[in-house]
Amino acid sequence: MEIEFSDKFIRALKNAKRVVVSTGAGVSAESGVSTFRGEDGLWKKFKPEELATYEAFEKNPKLVWEWYQHRRDIINKIKPNPGHYAIVEMARYFKRFHLVTQNVDDLHREAGSNDIIELHGNIKRNRCINCGTLNYEVEFEQIPPRCVCGGKLRPDVIWFGELLPLEALERAEDASKTCDLFFVIGTSGVVQPAASFPIIATRQGAFVVEINIEPTELTFVANEHFHGKSGEILPLIVDKIKTIKEKI
Ligand code: BV8
Ligand code: ZN
């Protein structure tokens, strides 16, 4: 695949010192994780409020747990794709680099990214609703599984109507307010407050780059839009970065 880099994009890469990369389900699509709103999207079969809410968990813990086990089974079998690895490589070329993800699939960590700002938690972690204990145990004989304290275990993800982890929210907000280059990759820009970060960035003058296979709610804020798969485009952008920046 060939892509044209505009002068303004190359200038933005050259001058960038504080970069944010924010990712959504589209970054994991080429690894085989279905997105939420795509053709085979998770939300096609179920509505978000039917499954990814505390009320749904209270009302039908078995259905919610089976949905998460189903997603875990898929996620446990897949690997990061070239887009995840390109983000790991990209981080090496900028003084300050933040990775903010809406994804709960743990693929950024598996690819080698560290210090990931997980806005919506991590599907591989469980949390006790009674004592808050976290565990990575994912195989259970009974559904819904119980904590040793007797409390119900839930996937450690943020459901609709739940507040995001304060530290993640503050770190993402601060990084968006102070960055000079913001990549928004593989997200439809529907879910709040995650979708607000590129807008915060553009408001303070950052150069915003969108990578997506289609235009989204956020395309209007982007200074540059790469139309295509993140797994193909990101490695090309990193190759370009290597010709104009030194590793830090
Ligand atoms: C909160 C974890 C305070 C669980 C998730 C009314 C109006 C506006 C907002 C609200 C409202 N009522 C409530 C809200 C707030 C609500 C919200 O945003 N609702 C939306 C639906 C309108 N948000 C919340 O509730 C948040 N908490 O705000 O607390 C509060 C409290 C009460 C009331 C108000 C406020 C919590 C939200 C977190 C929900 N949890 N995940 C789980 O995963 O099971 S969200 C889940 O869906 C994901 O984590 C992700 O964030 C989201 C999916 O979005 P995307 O990642 O963008 O995925 P999508 O499929 O949509 O798009 C994929 C994109 O990739 C597409 O654009 C596609 O073109 C592209 N693509 C595909 N392939 C590729 C590609 N791009 C590049 N390359 C490819 N190969
Ligand atoms: Zn407990």
Side-chain angles (χ1 to χ4, degrees):
M1 175 184 193
E2 288 276 314
I3 39 174
E4 269 299 296
F5 293 117
S6 66
D7 293 345
K8 60 177 181 170
F9 178 61
I10 291 176
R11 223 179 1 265
L13 284 180
K14 271 193 184 133
N15 303 334
K17 293 191 178 45
R18 297 179 306 283
V19 174
V20 174
V21 167
S22 103
T23 63
V27 157
S28 300
E30 291 155 84
S31 297
V33 185
S34 17
T35 60
F36 290 79
R37 291 171 184 77
E39 272 327 296
D40 63 345
L42 287 166
W43 299 143
K44 273 266 171 307
K45 301 177 218 24
F46 306 101
K47 285 208 293 299
E49 46 284 359
E50 279 171 351
L51 286 162
T53 62
Y54 190 73
E55 294 67 31
F57 177 72
E58 280 284 275
K59 206 167 89 199
N60 194 339
K62 201 165 171 317
L63 172 69
V64 171
W65 260 105
E66 279 162 2
W67 185 52
Y68 280 93
Q69 286 302 92
H70 163 70
R71 287 171 63 191
R72 275 175 176 157
D73 294 346
I74 294 169
I75 287 171
N76 288 334
K77 291 188 193 99
I78 57 169
K79 291 282 159 241
N81 66 61
H84 293 104
Y85 293 112
I87 292 169
V88 177
E89 187 62 14
M90 192 193 276
R92 299 188 177 119
Y93 288 82
F94 296 98
K95 233 162 125 64
R96 205 195 73 176
F97 185 92
H98 285 98
L99 173 57
V100 181
T101 189
Q102 299 176 71
N103 298 341
V104 297
D105 57 32
D106 208 37
L107 286 175
H108 282 304
R109 194 197 47 76
E110 209 175 316
S113 288
N114 42 44
D115 188 19
I116 303 159
I117 300 175
E118 291 180 329
L119 297 175
H120 298 157
N122 186 314
I123 201 167
K124 290 188 175 172
R125 266 195 318 262
N126 299 299
R127 174 159 50 88
C128 171
I129 57 173
N130 184 35
C131 70
T133 309
L134 278 180
N135 72 37
Y136 279 75
E137 187 47 54
V138 284
E139 297 308 324
F140 306 103
E141 55 285 351
Q142 63 170 82
I143 294 275
R146 292 276 169 182
C147 170
V148 286
C149 80
K152 274 191 221 159
L153 283 180
R154 60 169 281 177
D156 189 31
V157 297
I158 305 298
W159 282 326
F160 287 99
E162 293 187 322
L163 293 171
L164 273 58
L166 195 58
E167 197 215 341
L169 196 57
E170 285 172 347
R171 289 190 66 206
E173 217 162 333
D174 179 54
S176 305
K177 279 184 187 153
T178 54
C179 67
D180 44 28
L181 180 58
F182 190 107
F183 287 89
V184 49
I185 310 170
T187 180
S188 56
V190 169
V191 172
Q192 295 297 348
S196 59
F197 298 128
I199 295 167
I200 294 171
T202 197
R203 279 221 183 105
Q204 53 83 359
F207 189 93
V208 177
V209 183
E210 180 178 42
I211 302 173
N212 203 306
I213 55 171
E214 62 187 12
T216 71
E217 309 260 328
L218 294 168
T219 305
F220 75 98
V221 292
N223 301 84
E224 186 78 73
H225 177 88
F226 291 105
H227 186 102
K229 293 182 173 181
S230 48
E232 292 169 6
I233 290 175
L234 279 166
L236 296 174
I237 290 178
V238 172
D239 288 347
K240 189 68 194 166
I241 291 172
K242 288 180 178 173
T243 64
I244 47 179
K245 298 216 50 121
E246 291 293 312
K247 248 187 197 176
I248 300 282

